[in-house]
Amino acid sequence: MVRTASAAGSRTGKVVHGTGRRIRRATAAEGAGESGLAKLIELHALNAFGDMLITVALASTIFFSVPTGEARGRVSLYLLVTMAPFALLAPVIGPLLDRLPHGRRAAMAMSMLARAVLAWTMAGVVTGGGLALYPEALGVLVASKAYGVVRSVVVPRLLPSRLSLVKANSRVTLAGLLATMVAAGVGGLLHLIGPGWPLRGAFLVFVAGTLMAFHLPHKVDSAKGEQRAVLHAEEHPPGHHGVLHGRTAPAQEPAPEPAAGQRPKASLRTVGPSVILALRAMAAMRWLVGFLVMFLAFLLREEPIGGLQPTLALGLVALAAGTGNAIGSALGSWLRPRSPEMTVTAMLLLAGGATAAAALWYGTVTVVTVAAVAGTAASLGKLSLDALIQRDVPEAVRTSAFARSETLLQMSWVAGGAVGILLPLNGALGLSVAAAVIGAVLLWTLRSLLRVGVRHRPAAPRVA
C-alpha cells in the first residue's frame, strides 16, 4: 500500500509539474516572458480565480439557499446596497488611478489585499446572509473593478514587440476565463464543506495575488510621456493636439511658457470618433450582458426552459455564456487585420439579432444561443475597442483612455443588471426590451459608421 501510494503521489507530482511547465510556456510565448506580460497573465488568472470563489459563496447564500421570491428580494437589496454606491464611485476610479501613475503595482496589490481581508471577514457572516454582508460585498466589487481598470492600463506597458495589443488582451482574457471555470468547480467543492470555505479559499488566493503584484516589472510604474485623456470625439481649438478620424491633428506652434508662479494648463486630448463609436457599441453589449445575468437568473429559476431542472437550466446558460466568451477571445487574433469598426458593429448586430430571435421564439435553443452570442459579442467587441484605442490614440494618452473606457463599461453592466432585476419575469417581454435597447444603439452606431468611414489597415501602435 505504501509503495502504491508513493507511486501514485509521484505520478501526480509529475503531472502537476508538467502541466505547470506547459502553462508557463504558453503564457511566456512570443516574447511575453521577457516583457513581463506572462506575469500579468498569471496575476489575472489568480484575480479571476479569487473573484469566482467569492461569487460562488455569495450566489449560494443570496440566491440558491432561499425561495425565488425571497431570493429576488435579496438580490434587489444587493443591487441597492452595492451597485448604487458603485455607480457613484465608478466614475471616480479612473481619474483617481490616473493620479497614481507611479503606483500601479501597489494599486493592484492593494486591490488584492483589500479583497483578501474582506473575504476573510465575509466568511464569518455569510451563513446568515444578513445586512452586514452587503457593505463588504460592495468593497469587494469596488476593489475588483479598480483592479480591472489598472490591468487595462498596464497591458500596453508590458506589450512585447511580437504581439499586438489585441492578441495580448486576448491572451489575458483567456487565462481569466480558464481560471474562472476551474474556480467554479473548486468553489462548489469547498461549499460542500461549508458556506464560508469558498471565501477562505479566496482569502488565500488574494494573498498570493498581493505578493505576485509586486513581482511585476518596474516599468509598470513608469508614466513617461503619459497625459490625461478625454472621451470626446470633437476637435479642440487651435493650440491643442487631438486625434480626429484616426489622424493626428496638424502640428501647432509651441504654446508660450507660463508666467512665473502660474501653473500650466493641462492639455486635453481627444480619442477620435472611431473609438467613441466602438465605446458606445461596447457599452450596449456590456449592458446586455448585465441584463441577461440578472434577468435569466431569476426567470430560469422560476420558469426553467425545456422542462429542465432550474439548476440544470442555469448551468446550461452559464456554460453557453462562458463558451461564447472563450470563442470571442480566440477569434480576436484571427480578426485582428480586419476593420475594428466593422467588427464591433457586426458584433452589436449579431447580439441584437440573437436577442430579438429569443424574444420572438422563446425556448431552450434561443435562450442558450443568446447567452452564447452575447458572450462572444462582448468579448470580441472589447478586443476591437482595444484595437481602436491602440490605433487611434497616441501613446501619450493611451493608458488614460483605457482607464476611462473600462470604468464606463463597468457602469453599463451595472445599469443592465438593474433593469434585469426590475422587469417582470416574462421571457418574451424582457428579451423584447433588451432587443429594443440594442436595436436603438445599433442604429446610432450605423449612422456614426457612415460618418466615420472604415479603415482597412491593421491596428499598429502609434507614438505621440
Side-chain angles (χ1 to χ4, degrees):
M1 286 180 64
V2 172
R3 281 199 300 270
T4 302
S6 176
S10 177
R11 285 194 296 271
T12 302
K14 288 179 181 178
V15 170
V16 171
H17 182 66
T19 303
R21 228 178 17 221
R22 284 191 289 272
I23 291 173
R24 279 292 174 95
R25 265 202 310 268
T27 57
E30 298 181 272
E34 293 83 357
S35 71
L37 180 65
K39 291 183 178 180
L40 180 63
I41 292 172
E42 293 164 5
L43 178 64
H44 184 65
L46 273 182
N47 174 80
F49 197 101
D51 275 348
M52 189 61 193
L53 290 179
I54 292 179
T55 300
V56 168
L58 291 177
S60 61
T61 302
I62 297 174
F63 185 73
F64 288 108
S65 63
V66 294
T68 302
E70 187 178 344
R72 199 172 191 195
R74 283 193 178 193
V75 175
S76 299
L77 182 62
Y78 176 85
L79 284 177
L80 180 64
V81 177
T82 61
M83 298 299 189
F86 175 72
L88 298 176
L89 290 172
V92 182
I93 293 176
L96 177 63
L97 292 172
D98 257 353
R99 299 179 183 275
L100 301 171
H102 301 290
R104 290 172 185 149
R105 292 187 303 169
M108 297 176 87
M110 288 304 100
S111 78
M112 295 278 187
L113 182 59
R115 280 177 286 172
V117 173
L118 289 168
W120 186 265
T121 306
M122 290 165 68
V125 298
V126 71
T127 305
L131 281 176
L133 183 66
Y134 297 123
E136 293 164 350
L138 170 63
V140 169
L141 182 66
V142 171
S144 179
K145 301 315 176 189
Y147 163 84
V149 169
V150 180
R151 192 259 304 169
S152 294
V153 169
V154 164
V155 171
R157 285 287 173 191
L158 301 179
L159 193 66
S161 58
R162 284 176 278 173
L163 279 181
S164 69
L165 184 59
V166 180
K167 196 168 184 179
N169 275 288
S170 177
R171 191 175 290 183
V172 173
T173 303
L174 274 175
L177 288 171
L178 292 173
T180 297
M181 289 189 284
V182 175
V186 173
L189 293 175
L190 289 175
H191 182 70
L192 295 177
I193 304 174
W197 281 96
L199 292 165
R200 294 185 179 97
F203 166 79
L204 295 176
V205 170
F206 285 128
V207 167
T210 302
L211 299 176
M212 188 178 289
F214 285 112
H215 283 82
L216 292 173
H218 289 282
K219 59 185 174 182
V220 166
D221 288 334
S222 170
K224 184 179 179 180
E226 292 180 9
Q227 297 182 29
R228 300 182 65 183
V230 176
L231 297 181
H232 197 290
E234 299 297 327
E235 190 174 12
H236 284 298
H240 294 276
H241 298 284
V243 180
L244 189 61
H245 296 276
R247 298 186 295 270
T248 307
Q252 304 290 339
E253 292 295 325
E257 292 294 325
Q262 184 180 5
R263 296 182 63 184
K265 293 184 179 179
S267 173
L268 299 179
R269 294 172 178 250
T270 61
V271 295
S274 292
V275 175
I276 296 299
L277 177 153
L279 186 58
R280 185 187 303 125
M282 191 58 222
M285 286 187 275
R286 279 287 181 90
W287 181 94
L288 178 62
V289 171
F291 172 83
L292 291 175
V293 167
M294 292 298 178
F295 184 71
L296 292 181
F298 289 107
L299 178 64
L300 297 182
R301 186 177 178 184
E302 185 142 319
E303 300 175 6
I305 50 176
L308 301 173
Q309 292 293 323
T311 305
L312 181 58
L314 286 169
L316 188 62
V317 171
L319 177 62
T323 303
N325 264 292
I327 291 172
S329 298
L331 286 174
S333 298
W334 181 71
L335 291 176
R336 180 176 58 84
R338 291 153 177 79
S339 164
E341 297 98 330
M342 287 296 294
T343 300
V344 75
T345 305
M347 289 301 101
L348 189 60
L349 176 62
L350 186 63
T355 307
L360 291 172
W361 300 288
Y362 180 78
T364 305
V365 174
T366 52
V367 169
V368 170
T369 300
V370 77
V373 168
T376 302
S379 179
L380 189 52
K382 180 61 168 66
L383 293 174
S384 298
L385 173 61
D386 291 344
L388 282 166
I389 292 176
Q390 180 192 27
R391 189 191 75 187
D392 288 357
V393 178
E395 187 180 14
V397 294
R398 194 180 296 151
T399 54
S400 179
F402 268 115
R404 282 161 170 73
S405 65
E406 185 65 24
T407 300
L408 177 61
L409 296 183
Q410 299 296 352
M411 290 180 64
S412 300
W413 191 99
V414 171
V419 174
I421 196 66
L422 293 174
L423 280 179
L425 295 180
N426 182 296
L429 172 65
L431 292 169
S432 296
V433 171
V437 171
I438 298 300
V441 178
L442 176 62
L443 292 175
W444 193 0
T445 303
L446 289 171
R447 179 175 175 270
S448 299
L449 185 64
L450 291 175
R451 290 174 50 233
V452 171
V454 178
R455 298 175 68 187
H456 297 282
R457 69 179 180 82
R462 293 180 51 222
V463 180

